Amino acid sequence: MDDDRTADLGFARIDLEREARTGDPEVVYGAGKTAEQVAAILTTLHERHPDRAVFATRLSSEAMDAAAAVGAEIHPVARAATLGPLPARRGRVGIISAGTSDSPVAAEAALTVAVHGAEPVVINDVGVAGLHRLLAVRDLLESLDVLIVVAGMEGALPSVVGGLVGAPVIAVPTSVGYGASFGGLAALLGMLNSCAPGVTVVNIDNGYGAGVAAARICRVEAQ
Amino acid sequence: MDDDRTADLGFARIDLEREARTGDPEVVYGAGKTAEQVAAILTTLHERHPDRAVFATRLSSEAMDAAAAVGAEIHPVARAATLGPLPARRGRVGIISAGTSDSPVAAEAALTVAVHGAEPVVINDVGVAGLHRLLAVRDLLESLDVLIVVAGMEGALPSVVGGLVGAPVIAVPTSVGYGASFGGLAALLGMLNSCAPGVTVVNIDNGYGAGVAAARICRVEAQ
Amino acid sequence: MDDDRTADLGFARIDLEREARTGDPEVVYGAGKTAEQVAAILTTLHERHPDRAVFATRLSSEAMDAAAAVGAEIHPVARAATLGPLPARRGRVGIISAGTSDSPVAAEAALTVAVHGAEPVVINDVGVAGLHRLLAVRDLLESLDVLIVVAGMEGALPSVVGGLVGAPVIAVPTSVGYGASFGGLAALLGMLNSCAPGVTVVNIDNGYGAGVAAARICRVEAQ
Amino acid sequence: MDDDRTADLGFARIDLEREARTGDPEVVYGAGKTAEQVAAILTTLHERHPDRAVFATRLSSEAMDAAAAVGAEIHPVARAATLGPLPARRGRVGIISAGTSDSPVAAEAALTVAVHGAEPVVINDVGVAGLHRLLAVRDLLESLDVLIVVAGMEGALPSVVGGLVGAPVIAVPTSVGYGASFGGLAALLGMLNSCAPGVTVVNIDNGYGAGVAAARICRVEAQ
Amino acid sequence: MDDDRTADLGFARIDLEREARTGDPEVVYGAGKTAEQVAAILTTLHERHPDRAVFATRLSSEAMDAAAAVGAEIHPVARAATLGPLPARRGRVGIISAGTSDSPVAAEAALTVAVHGAEPVVINDVGVAGLHRLLAVRDLLESLDVLIVVAGMEGALPSVVGGLVGAPVIAVPTSVGYGASFGGLAALLGMLNSCAPGVTVVNIDNGYGAGVAAARICRVEAQ
Amino acid sequence: MDDDRTADLGFARIDLEREARTGDPEVVYGAGKTAEQVAAILTTLHERHPDRAVFATRLSSEAMDAAAAVGAEIHPVARAATLGPLPARRGRVGIISAGTSDSPVAAEAALTVAVHGAEPVVINDVGVAGLHRLLAVRDLLESLDVLIVVAGMEGALPSVVGGLVGAPVIAVPTSVGYGASFGGLAALLGMLNSCAPGVTVVNIDNGYGAGVAAARICRVEAQ
Amino acid sequence: MDDDRTADLGFARIDLEREARTGDPEVVYGAGKTAEQVAAILTTLHERHPDRAVFATRLSSEAMDAAAAVGAEIHPVARAATLGPLPARRGRVGIISAGTSDSPVAAEAALTVAVHGAEPVVINDVGVAGLHRLLAVRDLLESLDVLIVVAGMEGALPSVVGGLVGAPVIAVPTSVGYGASFGGLAALLGMLNSCAPGVTVVNIDNGYGAGVAAARICRVEAQ
Amino acid sequence: MDDDRTADLGFARIDLEREARTGDPEVVYGAGKTAEQVAAILTTLHERHPDRAVFATRLSSEAMDAAAAVGAEIHPVARAATLGPLPARRGRVGIISAGTSDSPVAAEAALTVAVHGAEPVVINDVGVAGLHRLLAVRDLLESLDVLIVVAGMEGALPSVVGGLVGAPVIAVPTSVGYGASFGGLAALLGMLNSCAPGVTVVNIDNGYGAGVAAARICRVEAQ
């Protein structure tokens, strides 16, 4: 069953048609895959999509080494790899994080934005306990096309950002916190119940998903 | 404290500046408010935003009557009211629901899209247990700018839709179901864990939030 | 077992010694008690504490009627009753609520503050989606001794308030919301995980508990 | 108490009568047992059931070594061991997995099917984000007697499969995922709420239970 | 979009092709539908499947009246309706319930079995606190092709039944119980963790799903 | 504050009066204490209670070594230590476990029974999937004064035992299981919802608590 | 199947042998049964156990009327009925409740104790916020054979009682409370985690189960 | 963006204005930060606040070493570091813990109190299972301005303390416990539902938050 639509590696059945359907090639979700599997899938994807970077996320150290060995560029903070040239950019996506500990998730989101064809603009450590830090960058916020807001603990930042601007806001809860944060559940629930209209949410620590959504929003050409 | 930025009704402090900040006036969340409060806030908002429909959601029967009495148009399936002319439309937003029981949430989403300046296109009852119904409208799906996917029970529809198209997909879990659906929790978790990239999620039964997000996405003009 | 320390009404064993131990008489928790029980306990407490208002909360309409019939003053928004003169006031306690729907909880908190000997200052509907409403009252906030912050949905307001002032902040989550608010759980978890230092939390909808704590803080005379 | 019905090893009371009652010998659940215990129980079961493979699951590396030392065949992906000849086969059971990371659970299910007397047919990596992969094997699906569908994350695959065929579908949620998958809970709830009629579900990662159920279904000879 | 595959009633898009794909026509899930909608869908389904009973479940009293008015037979304990002749029967399915309070769920399962072409055999009130009641019907149990076991509270009955026989066992947790049964969650978790091999589980109170699965198992003709 | 009622070790305030109040000396809960702390508290307790064994539970390997070094007897399966002579025995307590993996909890319960002055009678591996194993020891069960029933997974054994005998039954859920056992939650909920009357329950894996309760029941001399 | 061991009423299969096995006849759990069913089962049980009261719990008002019509005595606070003479009493059981709102559960426990042959001693409203109330009855507590402790909210009372006496303590969490009490879950978890040794727990609001356990403990004659 | 209000270290945006707004400098939350980041932020904070100790919590061993290397004082039980002189003290704060295992959280609370300008008074191991230990220090309790009560397991201690004194009580649940303590959830829920009026609560293991709140309460000078 290896054809133009699918590449069958035995352990994986790669969806070659995905770019045609959705505009983006399949991405390798590295968790639960061996380093060899990650490298093999990346290589296969690169062969079928030579003109555009293919992408692997949630990589172990071994998988990052294996990816490097087949020519991929490694992004250690995001624990990700890219193979091939980044696409041209359309749109500017803000990635706004509440605290320093949220950086890995913000990095994954920023890299995903770039891989999917938009420009990431990172704004770190502007949590709501010191509002002046956020208000100081308000003009920058208003210049961006889409905003990804990354926060752990109580996850209040998307509500505040969503009240300041009219751009689409994608909230990413992180597992930063302890005790009653329950691995990011508190932030997730907070964001789902945001009193700011129009905030949408992705899974805990899912910088990748937020990045894809943001980049796709930048492609919309509504009339 | 009644000024250009805020209208103080005693029981409410209306945010008059919201349209300037975000592009849309404040919306009345009807739950937990009396019929009189709903009517008074709608009237005040209409006075300050006479050229564009103002909006109230989650209305009791009493609140719908009170809104009608001050001149609002009532939308009974969506349990909502609008007062003033709808804005011009930019972009087409698909509202795709899995089953007949999801209709009220889909109706709230569709009305919200219209109130916020985009064109809603409703496609009902195309759940994944009969895939041919969805595949039959695939061309229509591909013509739309943003997709809102509404589903209860296991909430699988956004994953399938998200694998078919590249438009931004906003998933709305509904409380349709029983037993281990836990009031929509099963659908919510399913959507948050979607294997289709780029799906974002709003609160259970939050057609309103999905509609705002979709309409704002239609306004993006990324370069 | 009816003595100076306890009044035994058969169905209740009233703690007469509580004022001596803690500074405040026992309060009647009306939920799960009959109207007759509420009236009888209020009357007994009033006899033993004639110089200071005694207090009953969470009253049914029947219990409010029965309390009025024995001479109590009824507070319908707070669903509470007082019998006897309010004490002299020490300290000013802000009760800050995020939305109009949070008013009953805020009213219970404000009344409790007064019953326990401090002055309540109510500031309604200053949720984080319109920050300017909160920033407009910043001077007032800074003049208060303790702040009670009442919010449902995502419960973000205490974090923002806690970042603005140094007064003790007591957060009260409310059950306002739907879907993934899970009856106030989202707001509760958000407040427990607040990134603003020094925020303490009470049970969902527990305006009473927040009011007692705030009034007692006003009595502290630390050296 | 060591007789024809029970073998008492001190640490275990083996149910020798189970095959007579249910058609299948007792199986060793390896978790929480020492390597020595696993080997001893396997050996005892083999002595009592010499003509048919006995089976141990969820083995540690040490337990796999100890089982090999007593003559068992080791199945490393499934983390299981068999001792004795596999039974004759009746019926063909499809084991369909959504992603590469679900392979260990699918392998346990496939081996269990074989140990319990049916033929496993494995179809990997046909998740719903690329439907054409599943539709490409539709004829194969329709030729099978029972289908085991293995999926993590949102667990949507059983609903789609259940809408395509009339064979009994047994859904196995896996713990593949992160964040709001809560260790497989999202997939479990999704499968329990499947909108496709007739889907039944086993515990998270319980490939063994699904395999037993499928093989037993193949033995049914309803008139 | 009304054709051989789909009947579009506006509020519903009926899947006419389902019988061809899965062997059974679409069934009307009555919850969340109006009485008129239920009657209209039943009528349409009956027109397209005149030779075989069509089926509606979870009906309100109003929906039962409306179904009766279009000629359906009403089954009040199961809160369901059938329209058209029941199919010929293949296989015998035991429906075994733990207590009298589980009867409505057992009745829905039994009717579903009959509607889907197998013979239901109902055995009520044989819970594990009086084992002799179950052991007294052991011969009957062994004569049946599939067993549906219905239980609330701790849901222990499927484990005991599953240890006695080799037929496929489908466990149905019910919401019977209080306190820490959490609406059937205790029974659901108990059944998912059954120590008896091969037990599969459906949603809480889902007698319908168990019935479909059992009837389909009776159609299997494995070689 | 070191007197006849309390021994103050700085890091611990030992309750010397507990035996006088409750009949049993304080017991050392080893989790979260250093090996030195465990040894010091055991020694102090032994000095104050020289005629009766004192007891420490949930010991790390280091704490077991430290306890041995001060003369305690070590019980490795139960991960506990005793220091001093066991008391005379009154009453016979059955400790009945469902599976081999439940042995450590059963061992803690049995040792606790002995330390608190009753005779433990251990019956292992009689889970409900092979009922004849339990029925074979029915006479023994009926001869015992109290029964402790230890089970993981679905925790069905106490219900079956509770239906067979009239002795007090104390159920101990264990964390044995995986997936939807949620660390013993499934067994705990099952036991709390037991349909057998009179079953009481302790915390997950709390063999100690069950043992204390059982031994105290043996001391009751009701008239 | 109507014989000496079972009475088959069609809708119920009464366990006539239960008294022989466990010392107590079967009890009617009224929830989910019709008034007619309750009356019929009570009557049947009374015919078979004419010398000893039979018992029905959790009765609706209709079921209480129907029970009265067949000669039963009604206990309205406990929502229960008895038919036939109470047995002779052995042992004294304290039923200690934390607050007035816990009275119905305490009443069910007390009545159950009497029906099962022990003497109930009720001590109401001695919650831990006024410890002197409990300490005032300490001598009485020490004279009792078994203690049932009933509490809602945080459920702290069993820990305090368990630290004062050596009698067996059975804790009954109640659903009294609001918000984060989650229907009694807070009290249940508190009691399961009690730091007082030997406390056992029953389901939320399960006064019946506690009463049975306590009465059975009073029958123990350990040597 | 490095100015008087913010120090931008690249990975962190330090809020220099926080002391002016709230009375206390920003504190370093060490979890999720590298040792180098902790040391750099501490150094920067110290430069800007040379006259008053700055503070870092939740430090790894590496971070404690790095902090020591830049001149900080290390507090190993609290896993914290301070740099600079402690402020003058106003008010006395009791830190009362239930058991020895709660000591690290109590130590964090006590240090935080001192860093924020009040005097900590530590009272360890006075859990409710031995009430006399608490009653023995009652005079001391009454002399303190604020009480922090630290407890794991069922978390009952704050309710008992709150019933004895009128000072503000801040409850800190700890993760001490196992099984159904669910990582401190049982203690958290218990404290939120305390029947003692005026108890407020912080996150599980959040000694820091309780300490800040207590010190700020000591600064209140209500008139």
Side-chain angles (χ1 to χ4, degrees), chain B residues 99-101 103 124-126 133, chain E residues 1-2 6-15 26 28 33 37 40-41 44:
Chain B
T100 300
S101 307
S103 297
N124 271 335
D125 203 13
V126 291
R133 298 177 296 189
Chain E
M1 206 164 20
D2 199 65
T6 313
D8 195 339
L9 304 191
F11 58 86
R13 205 174 291 237
I14 302 173
D15 180 0
E26 187 167 354
V28 188
K33 295 198 177 68
Q37 290 175 330
I41 304 176
T44 302

Side-chain angles (χ1 to χ4, degrees), chain C residues 146-149 168-173 188 192 198-203 206-217, chain H residues 146-150 155 157-159 162 167-173 187-203 206 209-214 217:
Chain C
V146 185
L147 300 177
I148 293 172
V149 184
V169 172
I170 301 169
V172 188
L188 172 64
L192 286 167
V199 172
T200 63
V201 185
V202 296
N203 194 3
N206 189 7
Y208 163 70
V212 174
R216 289 188 176 176
I217 289 171
Chain H
V146 186
L147 300 178
I148 293 172
V149 184
V150 181
L157 189 57
S159 292
V169 172
I170 301 168
V172 188
L188 172 64
L189 293 181
M191 292 170 178
L192 286 167
N193 287 282
S194 176
C195 61
V199 173
T200 63
V201 186
V202 295
N203 194 2
N206 189 7
V212 174
I217 289 171

Side-chain angles (χ1 to χ4, degrees), chain G residues 127-131 135 153-154 156 159-160 163-164 177-182 185-186 189-197, chain H residues 127-131 135 153-154 156 159-160 163-164 177-182 185-186 189-197:
Chain G
V128 300
L131 271 185
L135 298 177
M153 296 181 174
E154 83 275 55
S159 293
V160 173
L164 292 178
Y178 61 90
S181 90
F182 295 122
L185 178 63
L189 293 181
M191 291 171 179
L192 287 167
N193 287 283
S194 176
C195 60
Chain H
V128 299
L131 271 185
L135 299 177
M153 297 181 175
E154 84 273 56
S159 292
V160 173
L164 293 177
Y178 62 90
S181 91
F182 295 121
L185 177 64
L189 293 181
M191 292 170 178
L192 286 167
N193 287 282
S194 176
C195 61

Side-chain angles (χ1 to χ4, degrees), chain H residues 29-44:
Chain H
Y29 172 67
K33 295 198 178 67
T34 66
E36 292 70 31
Q37 289 174 331
V38 168
I41 303 176
L42 262 187
T43 303
T44 302

